[in-house]
Amino acid sequence: MSTAVWTNRLDMTSFADTALKAATRLWFAVVVIGQLLFAFTVASFYGLTAARGNFQGLNKFMSHGYIPGDGMGNFAVAIHLSSAVIIILAGMLQLVPQIRNRFPVFHRWNGRLYIVTAFTISLAGLYMMWVRGSVGDLPQHLGASLMAVLIMLCASMALRYALARDFKTHRRWALRLYLVVSASLFIRAGIFLSTFLNHGPFGFDPATFTGPFLTFITFAQYLLPLAVLELYFRAQDRPGAPRRIAMAAGLFVLTVALGAGILVVSMAVWVPSVKAAYDNRKSIVETLSATLESAGVDQAEKQYHQLKATAPATYNFDEDQLNILGYTLIRANRFKEAIRILQLNVEAYPQSSNVYDSLGEAYMNDGNKPLAIANYQKSLQLNPKNRGAVVALQKLSVP
Ligand code: HEM
């Protein structure tokens, strides 16, 4: 073979190596940014909301977050959420080569913490799903349960090969573990990006949180990354510039999609949640729900008007507050009270599409079809892109 051909091949190989390394680094940087934002949001939102004693506020993103009287279930949620923050941060630190090489003792202790947390988050998640009940249908529950089993399996295998001092195999299981744990970030990015691109929920019903896209993504969130990782191992193990270049290009495309998803979920949920977490006003939800329990919905309504007139700066009267209380009541099948609370929100925010959508849902659950339709139609009129309202109206058989 001539020197020119050899030089060309060497150039190609070194380009392929550089491209794969660069794509991997970019991917890791985007995942780390996403993980840091996610962990910071979970710690700030759930940590500060609970620290203020506003336990109802925890239900903003969970169908079965805080349930009064369910000590065991609430404990499982607390373990799940604190484990979420720890596992994200510990996993990230395990993968940074500079930390691993310079601080081996830290790597070992952090690794133990990571593995213990892999079990606590999975077991608490399984309990929340199968014993306590959560949103989603059976296929979604099976998908999330397989994820829990894989997290525990990968953690055990990573530990086993570390103890056997087989570091090549240990690294592979540790990377698999990192990807399955990161699936919690991938699924959020995937759902929000698809919703954004589709101008509304894509392939699922937001009221029941079920549908073909959710079934797909519940499994794809970890099976797809695991498959890509196996291809990556092959590209690393076997010679061949085209294989590495193809891998680098594929990884780059996935990274761009992931970055876009992280941006959308940050703007839609994480940034507002962090802002809400550091808002020092008292939550109107806690005050009203205490009155609701002790004196009934008429008194709660009176108290709302009175506090709004006399202490507007002390309490948080934002749109999401009465919505949280309304949905807590809907989930407890207290539809009449939910309607009264959500009507207050419509009075306060008559230009918000979302408040009519929520009131429509309360009426639909209460079996009041005409008012459910009227509210969904009003919601759609204010925001023609509200696909959730379109789906609800179809369910209510309005063309
Ligand atoms: C290891 C990665 C995981 C992380 C970081 C994580 C994180 C979270 C977070 C932050 C929430 C609160 C909802 C939100 O703010 O988005 C949550 C809820 C939940 N998680 Fe996980 N989770 C993980 C794995 C799992 C697994 C494997 C299962 C199932 C076995 C599971 C089951 C649940 C359930 C049932 C809820 C409550 C859903 C509801 O009631 O609406 N999680 N998780």
Side-chain angles (χ1 to χ4, degrees):
M1 215 176 280
S2 75
T3 319
V5 173
W6 272 112
T7 314
N8 263 348
R9 282 209 172 165
L10 281 177
D11 278 356
M12 197 62 183
T13 309
S14 93
F15 170 74
D17 287 349
T18 311
L20 188 53
K21 256 189 210 144
T24 311
R25 281 196 186 145
L26 181 66
W27 176 85
F28 187 55
V30 171
V31 174
V32 165
I33 292 170
Q35 302 277 37
L36 285 174
L37 291 171
F38 184 28
F40 183 68
T41 307
V42 174
S44 308
F45 179 75
Y46 292 106
L48 291 175
T49 306
R52 287 200 189 99
N54 175 14
F55 297 111
Q56 298 275 347
L58 300 178
N59 293 337
K60 187 169 176 188
F61 301 112
M62 282 191 279
S63 61
H64 298 67
Y66 171 74
I67 300 176
D70 179 12
M72 186 63 193
N74 296 334
F75 177 66
V77 172
I79 292 288
H80 192 72
L81 294 177
S82 40
S83 300
V85 178
I86 296 170
I87 203 166
I88 290 171
L89 298 179
M92 221 164 60
L93 294 173
Q94 285 304 86
L95 286 203
V96 178
Q98 289 81 353
I99 297 181
R100 214 167 45 226
N101 298 334
R102 288 192 58 190
F103 307 104
V105 177
F106 173 80
H107 181 74
R108 277 199 290 277
W109 278 104
N110 190 48
R112 286 176 191 135
L113 175 68
Y114 187 32
I115 285 165
V116 169
T117 320
F119 277 82
T120 54
I121 197 163
S122 303
L123 295 174
L126 287 171
Y127 179 88
M128 285 155 69
M129 187 158 274
W130 292 105
V131 180
R132 199 182 208 209
S134 66
V135 279
D137 53 11
L138 184 64
Q140 281 177 45
H141 288 185
L142 292 175
S145 302
L146 180 58
M147 175 172 157
V149 171
L150 284 175
I151 290 175
M152 292 187 282
L153 174 77
C154 294
S156 307
M157 297 304 267
L159 176 66
R160 184 180 154 186
Y161 285 102
L163 293 175
R165 309 196 67 75
D166 175 352
F167 293 115
K168 188 176 177 217
T169 318
H170 163 69
R171 174 181 164 270
R172 295 203 159 188
W173 282 106
L175 286 174
R176 289 183 187 117
L177 173 60
Y178 184 71
L179 283 190
V180 186
V181 169
S182 302
S184 57
L185 172 70
F186 304 152
I187 193 169
R188 284 164 176 82
I191 293 174
F192 276 86
L193 182 62
S194 62
T195 304
F196 175 75
L197 295 176
N198 189 48
H199 301 297
F202 170 73
F204 71 94
D205 175 354
T208 58
F209 208 64
T210 56
F213 180 68
L214 286 186
T215 307
F216 163 76
I217 203 166
T218 306
F219 287 91
Q221 61 174 325
Y222 52 87
L223 292 180
L224 183 67
L226 285 177
V228 173
L229 181 64
E230 295 310 311
L231 291 176
Y232 177 80
F233 289 151
R234 281 181 193 202
Q236 268 194 333
D237 286 348
R238 296 181 194 171
R243 194 193 299 270
R244 288 179 193 191
I245 291 173
M247 186 69 225
L251 204 52
F252 181 73
V253 172
L254 289 173
T255 305
V256 171
L258 180 63
I262 290 172
L263 188 67
V264 177
V265 72
S266 299
M267 298 321 290
V269 181
W270 295 344
V271 170
S273 301
V274 169
K275 270 194 193 156
Y278 291 95
D279 186 334
N280 281 327
R281 289 172 300 170
K282 270 192 198 167
S283 164
I284 194 69
V285 177
E286 279 299 297
T287 311
L288 291 187
S289 54
T291 309
L292 201 72
E293 296 313 321
S294 60
V297 72
D298 288 336
Q299 281 307 319
E301 206 178 298
K302 256 191 211 152
Q303 187 184 33
Y304 173 78
H305 288 303
Q306 187 205 345
L307 290 176
K308 212 167 173 191
T310 56
T314 313
Y315 287 88
N316 180 355
F317 292 100
D318 288 354
E319 183 188 322
D320 66 332
Q321 297 293 298
L322 290 182
N323 236 33
I324 294 174
L325 184 54
Y327 273 101
T328 304
L329 293 167
I330 290 178
R331 283 186 210 114
N333 298 333
R334 293 163 64 177
F335 305 127
K336 301 263 186 264
E337 290 159 290
I339 289 168
R340 294 280 297 279
I341 294 295
L342 292 168
Q343 273 169 339
L344 289 177
N345 224 13
V346 164
E347 276 170 35
Y349 297 96
Q351 291 311 314
S352 159
S353 160
N354 186 43
V355 295
Y356 290 98
D357 185 289
S358 307
L359 184 56
E361 191 169 335
Y363 276 123
M364 186 165 73
N365 279 292
D366 196 39
N368 190 335
K369 209 168 150 180
L371 282 179
I373 292 172
N375 279 285
Y376 277 123
Q377 280 174 335
K378 178 75 187 173
S379 170
L380 205 55
Q381 183 196 330
L382 290 169
N383 175 14
K385 290 181 182 163
N386 181 1
R387 293 282 290 258
V390 175
V391 173
L393 286 169
Q394 277 164 357
K395 265 207 305 206
L396 289 159
S397 40
V398 179

